[in-house]
Amino acid sequence: MLQVREAWKEAVGLLKRVGVVSPTREARLLLSSVLGTDPSRVHLFWDFSLEEEKLKKLHALLKERARGVPIQYLIGEWEFMSLPFYVEEGVFIPRLDTECWVEEVILSLKKASARELLLCDVGCGSGVIGLSCAFWVPQVKLYGVDISERAIALSEKNACRLGIENRCSFLKSDLFEVFKGQNILFDAVVSNPPYVKTGDWELLPREIRFYEPREALLAGEDGLSIIRRLLLEGASWIKKGGLLFFEHDPAQSELIRKEIEKLETWEYLYTIRDYAHKDRATAVKRKE
Ligand code: GLN
């Protein structure tokens, strides 16, 4: 039988050999998943022997990882805005860069004095954006929409995990379609829509292309097909003075500014940069 420490060393070696960027971190994450403990507690098991069954499970996970399956899908959860979320194959994996602008959204929502804030997360995926806003800002009542049924089910599961399901509804919908005929206007809308150009698909890392859902990434020839719809259709679903925050590619920043000017329904507020100091999200306000 192998000690946990030895199993970890073996895992680090293998992950290094297959070119994983953070082998020590990933080895810890895989071990924590096998041991059923938090990653920060793995060292408490250092001198324990790893049961045969668990070692087998670790080897199976390492094999999958070596094939290129994203670590998030293997361990089945990921942290976003300091909160734990389930993730699963078929649903877009939350990105660190998204946190940069979601932090700003949370700050703006916290400034609002209304007793209730209606928030819509368009293309919610695993629900991380809307749910972290709802978790950190108790006045938020969240509607999450997505065309993928898997995403809706996962978002619901995540709302329950955070214990805020009574303030959250998730609906299968193509953007705002499901609200047609309803008398609803949002205080704010947030979205990490697909924004990759069709022609850039081949340039994406294998790990993304082979395992993440295409419909969460691709958005036509210039990657702006969904963002254009968000700006156009969103205007009918956001209160005057309400906010729209959405993620995009840094190279799309200028084009988006032009789209905003063309429409005249939005006041451009600011652009938010990611950890690489690149323009990653834009904030606009529905004109009064
Ligand atoms: N470039 C982003 C990524 O792969 C695309 C995300 C998106 O389309 N929303 O992480």
Side-chain angles (χ1 to χ4, degrees):
M1 246 193 270
L2 216 55
Q3 266 182 332
V4 169
R5 179 197 307 275
E6 296 306 319
W8 177 78
K9 268 194 204 151
E10 197 184 271
V12 173
L14 186 129
L15 292 169
K16 249 189 206 158
R17 280 201 300 283
V18 298
V20 159
V21 181
S22 322
T24 53
R25 176 162 183 247
E26 290 203 11
R28 176 182 284 274
L29 288 170
L30 292 175
L31 260 169
S32 73
S33 159
V34 165
L35 292 167
T37 188
D38 191 82
S40 64
R41 297 170 69 90
V42 168
H43 65 282
L44 297 177
F45 296 83
W46 252 192
D47 299 320
F48 287 36
S49 310
L50 197 60
E51 296 154 33
E52 205 54 45
E53 265 315 289
K54 293 193 168 148
L55 189 61
K56 259 199 205 149
K57 200 171 160 214
L58 179 68
H59 284 157
L61 287 173
L62 283 166
K63 210 166 138 195
E64 291 287 282
R65 187 66 189 111
R67 270 203 318 134
V69 180
I71 183 85
Q72 293 88 341
Y73 289 152
L74 292 177
I75 61 174
E77 52 183 8
W78 204 242
E79 194 180 285
F80 187 84
M81 295 304 291
S82 309
L83 299 168
F85 290 95
Y86 296 114
V87 290
E88 63 181 36
E89 235 163 296
V91 184
F92 186 75
I93 298 169
R95 311 290 208 252
L96 202 57
D97 281 328
T98 303
E99 290 189 351
C100 293
W101 65 269
V102 173
E103 257 173 41
E104 289 294 326
V105 177
I106 291 174
L107 288 175
S108 323
L109 293 173
K110 276 187 183 291
K111 276 189 214 144
S113 52
R115 276 225 324 272
E116 186 176 79
L117 290 167
L118 282 187
L119 177 71
C120 184
D121 182 349
V122 175
C124 59
S126 53
V128 293
I129 300 176
L131 285 171
S132 37
C133 293
F135 185 90
W136 296 117
V137 188
Q139 305 99 290
V140 166
K141 184 154 188 275
L142 173 69
Y143 287 87
V145 290
D146 203 294
I147 42 165
S148 151
E149 249 163 65
R150 278 191 91 162
I152 294 301
L154 186 60
S155 289
E156 273 165 2
K157 218 168 116 184
N158 277 325
C160 293
R161 183 170 188 176
L162 298 177
I164 53 171
E165 67 278 13
N166 56 341
R167 290 192 280 126
C168 306
S169 300
F170 293 96
L171 307 159
K172 181 173 159 31
S173 175
D174 180 18
L175 274 84
F176 301 95
E177 205 75 36
V178 74
F179 301 118
K180 285 206 171 128
Q182 307 285 328
N183 193 10
I184 191 165
L185 280 178
F186 297 104
D187 292 283
V189 170
V190 285
S191 182
N192 178 10
Y195 56 73
V196 174
K197 293 181 191 172
T198 320
D200 283 350
W201 179 250
E202 295 300 326
L203 306 177
L204 291 180
R206 257 177 69 99
E207 220 172 289
I208 297 180
R209 263 184 300 132
F210 284 26
Y211 297 100
E212 292 200 73
R214 282 169 85 95
E215 73 267 24
L217 291 148
L218 289 180
E221 216 177 305
D222 62 359
L224 288 175
S225 64
I226 306 294
I227 289 176
R228 272 198 204 92
R229 282 187 60 199
L230 254 182
L231 287 166
L232 207 66
E233 297 168 32
S236 316
W237 300 103
I238 300 182
K239 282 180 193 164
K240 292 198 167 143
L243 306 172
L244 166 64
F245 295 86
F246 59 92
E247 187 170 316
H248 51 75
D249 190 87
Q252 293 165 336
S253 204
E254 279 308 308
L255 268 174
I256 288 169
R257 291 282 294 267
K258 288 199 182 105
E259 292 287 330
I260 293 166
E261 275 164 33
K262 227 165 52 190
L263 284 171
E264 290 180 355
T265 33
W266 302 105
E267 178 190 330
Y268 167 82
L269 291 180
Y270 48 86
T271 301
I272 305 162
R273 294 196 159 161
D274 60 20
Y275 287 115
H277 293 282
K278 298 212 164 127
D279 292 354
R280 184 57 67 182
T282 293
V284 291
K285 184 165 144 184
R286 177 85 168 85
K287 282 186 184 163
E288 297 284 347

